Amino acid sequence: MREALSRLTARQRTVLVLRYFEDLPEGDVARLLGCSVGTVRSTTHRSLARLRVLAPELAAIGPHGAADVPSRDFSPVEARP
């Protein structure tokens, strides 16, 4: 992982470290880096794609660090009285 991260640009590495290692929300990362939330999102997306190319063994790991874990469903639930 360390070697793959070292091959990213400084900005890509910073965004990933702040988002996934420091667990900061996108808004906080944007404020720290002086950019928009959209820039943080696109940089995160591109950085993860680049990591998957550099370290294919990481491709099975999901965004929250677990492989093949189903995502949580946040769809509306009907409330019953």
Side-chain angles (χ1 to χ4, degrees):
M1 174 66 97
R2 185 180 303 251
E3 184 179 331
L5 283 172
S6 73
R7 295 180 62 195
L8 297 175
T9 67
R11 186 172 189 93
Q12 289 175 324
R13 193 170 38 255
T14 301
V15 167
L16 291 183
V17 167
L18 291 173
R19 284 286 292 129
Y20 297 107
F21 290 92
E22 296 296 327
D23 201 26
L24 293 178
E26 292 169 336
D28 289 353
V29 175
R31 278 188 290 284
L32 284 169
L33 297 179
C35 63
S36 70
V37 172
T39 298
V40 170
R41 288 179 183 159
S42 63
T43 302
T44 300
H45 177 78
R46 288 186 188 109
S47 303
L48 290 174
R50 180 75 178 135
L51 269 182
R52 288 182 189 106
V53 169
L54 295 172
E57 66 276 10
L58 300 176
I61 298 174
H64 302 290
D68 298 325
V69 175
S71 63
R72 289 180 276 175
D73 181 13
F74 290 105
S75 357
V77 177
E78 181 182 334
R80 296 182 185 205

